[in-house]
Amino acid sequence: MAPDGLLSIGELAERAGVTVKTVRFYSDLGLLPEASRSSGGHRRYGPGALDRLRLIRSLRALDLPVPEVGRVLDGGDGPAGTTGILATGALEDALDGRLRELGSEITALRWREAALQLVRDCPAEERADRLRLVGAVSAPPSTAALARFWRGALPARLSSRLRSAILDHAVPRPPADPTPAQVLAFARLHAIATAPCPAADPRRPARNRTDADCRPDVLYDGLFDAYTLVATELRTGRTPDRGQALECFVTAHATARELPDSPAFRRRLHALLTRAADPMIDRYWELTGVLTPSPEPTLGAVHEWLRSALSADVARAAG
């Protein structure tokens, strides 16, 4: 150590247990300021440099990026030295950010692990198809394609409030630790949503859409009320039949079209729902149930219960 108490770059490197190249690297980045230069142009470091260098190495060992380390160090400048740095909000923010990133990385690894198991364990004749499916999905997966699918399928005049509520129910949240079956389910959902002409594409003829001739907000507000009632029926295992849920469902359709509820209207609605039934959409809801197992039924299961209840009601009236 020099008489002035300053350390040379070699002395600092030796005390910290690092190479001179490492000290120079952090100095050149501005993370480890020099106190001065010798008459020969050699770097000199003050007494706080050793603690600062050790802190830099500790932060880097936690995989904090160099720019983030710089922000932490800048946020802790002051007489408190290293202790002050460790007490700053900048450090907490950096650690929280890295934890979020790490969580995303872990989720991605779990999805890749489940995808590998899915392809490894399937019959050889199915591998090409499964590779195609999982290869089209990122890890962790994005739900953007599913959201676009439903935004396109919903009525253009639907309010943002109801559009958001429907998307919350229709776009499943991928699990953080999926099974191979859930990876496959999500990949198949993604394939449905990105098909060249999805079954629920708004370009389909208006006569095939149950919301083509109605006030959409009135319809969907009423449908949500009916769906809430049906969820209770499904949890108790009640078979589709007459009751408050069916009355609420039919009333929603009739009110939205400004038509009276009558046997003729129910027959017309039943015919419309039958024409609009789509196996691809049924498959979408089945896959959603696999992806997010829950005691709460999917919108698809609820809609099918109501459609079946209406069918039984119409058949009873006709008989």
Side-chain angles (χ1 to χ4, degrees):
M1 180 183 293
D4 57 6
L6 299 181
L7 297 172
S8 70
I9 190 170
E11 289 170 330
L12 178 59
E14 183 179 0
R15 293 191 183 193
V18 300
T19 65
V20 169
K21 182 178 180 181
T22 297
V23 177
R24 185 178 294 114
F25 172 72
Y26 289 131
S27 290
D28 290 342
L29 289 174
L31 299 180
L32 191 63
E34 308 160 15
S36 65
R37 291 257 179 165
S38 69
S39 58
H42 299 294
R43 306 177 197 226
R44 292 285 185 263
Y45 297 90
L50 181 58
D51 284 343
R52 188 177 177 94
L53 178 55
R54 286 170 174 165
L55 178 59
I56 291 169
R57 301 233 337 129
S58 295
L59 294 173
R60 291 291 292 136
L62 293 175
D63 206 24
L64 290 185
V66 168
E68 205 62 51
V69 171
R71 281 190 283 274
V72 171
L73 296 173
D74 291 343
D77 287 345
T82 300
T83 300
I85 292 172
L86 295 177
T88 63
L91 175 58
E92 292 178 4
D93 290 344
L95 295 176
D96 286 343
R98 185 61 191 128
L99 282 170
R100 287 192 296 271
E101 292 171 1
L102 191 59
S104 181
E105 292 167 12
I106 291 171
T107 299
L109 289 173
R110 286 171 174 163
W111 273 83
R112 291 192 182 105
E113 179 185 34
L116 288 168
Q117 292 171 346
L118 173 70
V119 175
R120 181 197 64 189
D121 297 339
C122 75
E125 61 272 17
E126 295 180 15
R127 281 190 178 141
D129 182 58
R130 293 195 178 184
L131 280 170
R132 177 184 59 80
L133 286 168
V134 300
V137 178
S138 62
S142 168
T143 58
L146 277 61
R148 283 195 300 271
F149 172 78
W150 284 106
R151 287 193 191 100
L154 292 171
R157 294 178 294 128
L158 190 66
S159 69
S160 58
R161 170 182 62 85
L162 282 167
R163 191 179 301 275
S164 296
I166 293 168
L167 288 175
D168 285 344
H169 286 83
V171 178
R173 186 186 300 273
D177 190 8
T179 64
Q182 288 173 321
V183 169
L184 182 59
F186 189 91
R188 285 175 170 161
L189 282 175
H190 185 272
I192 290 173
T194 57
C197 187
D201 194 293
R203 295 169 295 178
R204 296 175 77 202
R207 66 177 179 274
N208 289 334
R209 293 173 58 84
T210 60
D211 53 28
D213 57 349
C214 70
R215 295 175 292 167
D217 274 31
V218 174
L219 174 62
Y220 282 89
D221 269 326
L223 290 180
F224 266 117
D225 290 340
Y227 290 172
T228 300
L229 293 169
V230 172
T232 301
E233 306 285 9
L234 281 168
R235 284 194 294 269
T236 60
R238 182 169 178 261
T239 57
D241 205 346
R242 288 175 175 171
Q244 187 179 2
L246 178 60
E247 295 306 309
C248 187
F249 179 71
V250 174
T251 298
H253 280 280
T255 304
R257 292 169 173 79
E258 299 181 327
L259 294 171
D261 180 7
S262 67
F265 176 79
R266 294 193 176 209
R267 288 195 299 271
R268 174 189 165 192
L269 178 61
H270 176 253
L272 188 62
L273 292 174
T274 300
R275 286 201 305 272
D278 195 311
M280 184 179 289
I281 299 301
D282 293 342
R283 181 62 170 151
Y284 181 99
W285 292 119
E286 179 185 342
L287 293 168
T288 298
V290 172
L291 192 66
T292 55
S294 166
E296 292 301 315
T298 66
L299 290 183
V302 169
H303 181 79
E304 179 57 26
W305 192 99
L306 286 163
R307 192 194 66 78
S308 297
L310 178 60
S311 178
D313 183 62
V314 168
R316 188 183 295 110

